[in-house]
Amino acid sequence: MTGQVRFDSHASDVVAAAVGLVNALTPGWRRGREYFPPEEPERLRVVAHALRDWRAPVAAEVAELAQEAAALRVVFELLADGALDSACAEVNALLKRTEAVPVLSNHDGDEWHLHFHAMDAGFARSWAAAMATALAVALGHGYADRLGVCSAEACDRVYVDVSRNGTRRFCSTACQNRVKAAEFRRRKSAVQD
């Protein structure tokens, strides 16, 4: 292990997928510019990418996932506001609504592994249940401070901090560099005045 935080291999991957889905399908701000989720067919591509290209979703599934992404975003926003109890209550509501249930599976020739949705659940509900459970794993193991919303001005993309020291504040290096450049310009201007 490199010192990076991993909740467990499956939960870490699913939390990362949740971050990708929220960032792809929820409007707001991204790197200093207003962000609108893409339209078809680009929307299908960004969702497939966020879900690690497990399989290409169809338009109806993406529409359902967009609703789930909005609900997942609420959890990240509550955590960013320091409202852990409310975030946990929101995750519990997501778990209940998606009917998340642990199931052992060995599909596609894989070894037995744990899924968090009923085997007969549709694509979108399966992913929503898995993401709600992965967030529950993170929150239940004391990693609430590893989930956040970018602190750069004009950006509200979410992130998961898997670094060793857990001090991440930005969704990307681009936002971090924007903030550093703005601070540098501010200090330089203050010195010249």
Side-chain angles (χ1 to χ4, degrees), residues 134-148:
L135 290 177
V137 168
L139 298 179
H141 285 93
Y143 293 117
D145 60 336
R146 299 297 185 130
L147 305 172

Side-chain angles (χ1 to χ4, degrees), residues 101-114:
V101 58
V103 176
L104 287 169
S105 174
N106 68 342
H107 58 84
D108 302 326
D110 289 341
E111 291 185 17
W112 286 99
H113 57 282
L114 192 60

Side-chain angles (χ1 to χ4, degrees), residues 8-23:
D8 75 30
S9 62
H10 184 66
S12 290
D13 293 344
V14 177
V15 168
V19 165
L21 191 71
V22 168
N23 287 339

Side-chain angles (χ1 to χ4, degrees), residues 57-92:
V58 298
E61 294 167 336
V62 171
E64 192 175 338
L65 283 170
Q67 293 175 341
E68 300 298 349
L72 293 165
R73 171 174 277 290
V74 170
V75 175
F76 284 90
E77 291 171 346
L78 289 167
L79 291 170
D81 290 340
L84 177 60
D85 292 346
S86 296
C88 289
E90 190 68 29
V91 169
N92 281 338

Side-chain angles (χ1 to χ4, degrees), residues 12-179:
S12 290
D13 293 344
V14 177
V15 168
V19 165
L21 191 71
V22 168
N23 287 339
L25 294 180
T26 60
W29 293 89
R30 180 176 178 247
R31 298 180 184 165
R33 293 192 169 101
E34 196 165 8
Y35 176 80
F36 299 98
E39 299 294 326
E40 307 299 341
E42 178 66 8
R43 190 174 184 189
L44 296 173
R45 189 193 67 74
V46 298
V47 169
H49 178 73
L51 302 180
R52 309 287 197 246
D53 296 315
W54 182 76
R55 81 159 171 78
V58 298
E61 294 167 336
V62 171
E64 192 175 338
L65 283 170
Q67 293 175 341
E68 300 298 349
L72 293 165
R73 171 174 277 290
V74 170
V75 175
F76 284 90
E77 291 171 346
L78 289 167
L79 291 170
D81 290 340
L84 177 60
D85 292 346
S86 296
C88 289
E90 190 68 29
V91 169
N92 281 338
L94 287 167
L95 290 167
K96 184 175 182 177
R97 186 175 48 73
T98 61
E99 300 175 335
V101 58
V103 176
L104 287 169
S105 174
N106 68 342
H107 58 84
D108 302 326
D110 289 341
E111 291 185 17
W112 286 99
H113 57 282
L114 192 60
H115 280 273
F116 302 110
H117 56 81
M119 295 309 288
D120 63 344
F123 182 79
R125 193 177 98 207
S126 295
W127 272 104
M131 291 176 187
T133 304
L135 290 177
V137 168
L139 298 179
H141 285 93
Y143 293 117
D145 60 336
R146 299 297 185 130
L147 305 172
V149 177
C150 188
S151 63
E153 185 175 329
C155 188
D156 64 0
R157 302 297 87 186
V158 302
Y159 64 86
V160 58
D161 182 355
V162 294
S163 68
R164 182 183 307 233
N165 62 4
T167 59
R168 184 171 174 178
R169 296 180 20 227
F170 306 103
C171 68
S172 65
T173 305
C175 277
Q176 180 179 0
N177 290 341
R178 278 189 321 110
V179 168

